[in-house]
Amino acid sequence: SARIIYDFLEQFREMGKTILLSSHSMYEVERLCDTVVIMHQGKFCAEGKVSDLLTEYNETRFEDLFIHLTGGMENESN
């Protein structure tokens, strides 16, 4: 079912439609989004194009970027 949703969202993007997606899955974000806002504990950590943020923070995977910006597992108990 996830594949059907991905394909559906891809079709909308190809039609030039804007999609607002909220997700905790960094794989989905990296795969589906062009521009992102990363939030942690109600505050904006970063905003921009996925590729630009990966370059800016010297990361190759979006999940690693998210962990880098939010402190990862260390902040889960706080």
Side-chain angles (χ1 to χ4, degrees):
S1 62
R3 179 63 185 203
I4 292 168
I5 293 170
Y6 295 156
D7 291 344
F8 178 78
L9 293 174
E10 291 280 351
Q11 289 174 3
F12 263 69
R13 184 166 59 177
E14 289 170 4
M15 295 180 347
K17 304 289 183 185
T18 299
I19 300 166
L20 178 62
L21 174 71
S22 175
S23 179
H24 288 100
S25 169
M26 295 304 106
Y27 170 77
E28 287 178 353
V29 170
E30 187 170 13
R31 183 172 187 271
L32 298 171
C33 299
D34 298 317
T35 304
V36 298
V37 173
I38 297 174
M39 294 182 68
H40 180 62
Q41 297 181 340
K43 297 180 183 173
F44 283 37
C45 296
E47 178 180 2
K49 294 193 176 294
V50 171
S51 58
D52 293 344
L53 291 173
L54 290 171
T55 299
E56 180 179 345
Y57 291 96
N58 197 31
E59 297 289 357
T60 56
R61 295 182 326 136
F62 199 75
E63 184 174 20
D64 294 334
L65 172 62
F66 181 82
I67 291 168
H68 174 98
L69 291 173
T70 63
M73 299 301 282
E74 299 166 4
N75 287 331
E76 289 299 313
S77 61
N78 296 336

